């Protein structure tokens, strides 16, 4: 199956930067879509950014111009560069990967999440 592991979260002051990483491993044939979601306390999980295998990106309005998503197909890694962080960016950030296994079955896998806290 597929394992998804995030890293790079932490505590940062407002205006600071963090870079999140997400590595997917397992019986992966291809990954068509990789994305970052976040969930703040008491709120629903929301899409932050995603990127296709062809490099097409999507950003939530709240992070446009501040966050950048990128991917490295070898080895199946996606990054989220977060600049000009605000307290409202505080949340647990989850990585999501969608693709095809070597068995030709589709997969849709999530990581365990990494905490990002923006506070002075």
């Amino acid at each position: 199956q597929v394992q998804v592991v995030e890293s790079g979260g932490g505590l940062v002051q407002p205006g600071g930067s963090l870079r999140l990483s997400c590595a997917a491993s397992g019986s992966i044939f291809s990954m068509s879509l990789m994305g970052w979601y976040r969930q703040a306390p008491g709120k629903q999980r929301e899409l932050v950014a995603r990127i296709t295998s062809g490099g097409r990106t999507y950003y939530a309005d709240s992070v446009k111009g501040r966050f950048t998503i990128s991917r490295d197909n070898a080895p199946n890694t996606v990054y989220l560069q977060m600049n000009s962080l605000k307290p409202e960016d505080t949340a647990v950030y989850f990585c999501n990967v969608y693709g095809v296994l070597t068995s030709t079955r589709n997969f849709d896998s999530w990581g365990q999440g990494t905490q990002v806290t923006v506070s002075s």
Side-chain angles (χ1 to χ4, degrees):
Q1 304 309 328
V2 176
Q3 296 78 43
V4 179
V5 179
E6 305 103 334
S7 61
L11 173 64
V12 63
Q13 292 186 343
S17 298
L18 281 176
R19 188 190 194 209
L20 304 183
S21 299
C22 169
S25 61
S27 304
I28 299 171
F29 175 74
S30 66
M31 297 194 304
S32 57
L33 199 60
M34 302 184 80
W36 288 95
Y37 291 70
R38 67 186 181 187
Q39 187 167 19
K43 294 188 177 181
Q44 290 188 330
R45 189 174 297 189
E46 63 174 355
L47 175 63
V48 176
R50 64 185 177 202
I51 185 168
T52 69
S53 57
R56 185 172 298 179
T57 58
Y58 163 86
Y59 295 95
D61 287 342
S62 59
V63 306
K64 280 182 181 177
R66 301 188 297 121
F67 290 10
T68 302
I69 189 170
S70 60
R71 64 184 287 171
D72 183 353
N73 289 328
N76 295 335
T77 303
V78 63
Y79 306 96
L80 186 67
Q81 178 66 44
M82 305 185 294
N83 299 328
S84 302
L85 282 161
K86 305 175 181 179
E88 50 263 44
D89 294 318
T90 295
V92 179
Y93 284 70
F94 297 89
C95 179
N96 174 255
V97 180
Y98 179 83
V100 180
L101 298 171
T102 53
S103 63
T104 73
R105 296 180 63 181
N106 291 337
F107 72 89
D108 185 355
S109 298
W110 292 85
Q112 79 289 350
T114 185
Q115 177 70 46
V116 172
T117 302
V118 185
S119 175
S120 55

